Amino acid sequence: MNTPGMDVPDARGRTALDRVGRDLRGNPSVIVRDVELLAAAWHVLRRTTYDYRRRDGSWTREQRETYDRGDGATVLLYDPSRRTVLLTRQFRFPVYVNGHPDGMFLETAAGLLDGDDPAAAIRREAAEELGVTVGELTEVFRPWTSPGSVTERLHCFAAAYSPASRTGEGGGLADDGEDIEAVELPFDDALAMVDSGEIADAKTIMLLQWAALKGVLDRDR
């Protein structure tokens, strides 16, 4: 049987998607037995069967589903002289369907790597979404944000900006259905919005808290 994404190309030209993860050897207590391709649309859903050696030495057979959307990058843009941060506001259906009042989500500029290195990817996203030409980047951390089911690792950056670095219109790519508003906030207001729940995005909260802990926008720096 010719299955898209396995022995014939899927809509994105990919094959052998069911082979990913079969050759893992880093953990002797994990033996992969099978990988099933459950869905391959824009992203890939797999179900993996593996044997796992527990701490008491016994073996058990487990199954886990993994959602593979590729790795991503995000950036906290901050203006040290004016003590502001530049965020995006856009409609996010997944949060809307899971209890967010209107789905209009405040967050740092972000996107998938799509074959670029993380720094190049986030420069691209900052230009597309916010119209900012990013200068020097600081990579802050690289967390897995949902390790129970999602394979994505997120490269989190910070970078200074100024009014002069806002060189484009931003707004995102209309062809991709994006309609992104640039939202500039005083840093203290952004932190208060974390407390109030107005900012509820994990990557944005982590980067704002990092900036607060490191004193990146302290007045006496």
Side-chain angles (χ1 to χ4, degrees), residues 128-200:
E128 290 176 358
E129 296 185 0
L130 294 171
V132 172
T133 299
V134 173
E136 182 178 355
L137 282 164
T138 299
E139 187 165 20
V140 179
F141 29 62
R142 294 181 293 164
W144 282 272
T145 55
S146 187
S149 58
V150 181
T151 63
E152 179 185 16
R153 190 172 192 180
L154 188 61
H155 298 259
C156 296
F157 293 93
Y161 80 99
S162 70
S165 60
R166 299 183 68 177
T167 56
E169 294 183 4
L173 300 179
D175 290 346
D176 289 346
E178 294 180 334
D179 180 28
I180 299 173
E181 176 190 2
V183 179
E184 190 170 61
L185 294 169
F187 179 58
D188 292 336
D189 288 359
L191 289 175
M193 292 170 76
V194 172
D195 288 338
S196 70
E198 294 170 90
I199 293 178

Side-chain angles (χ1 to χ4, degrees), residues 44-80:
V44 181
L45 181 64
R46 300 179 179 89
R47 180 167 55 218
T48 299
T49 302
Y50 61 91
D51 293 339
Y52 177 72
R53 181 167 55 198
R54 300 172 61 85
R55 289 178 296 161
D56 63 6
S58 64
W59 286 86
T60 181
R61 181 151 294 185
E62 305 288 345
Q63 282 189 332
R64 295 292 185 274
E65 292 182 4
T66 55
Y67 186 59
D68 183 355
R69 60 192 303 271
D71 289 347
T74 188
V75 63
L76 176 66
L77 295 170
Y78 63 93
D79 185 329

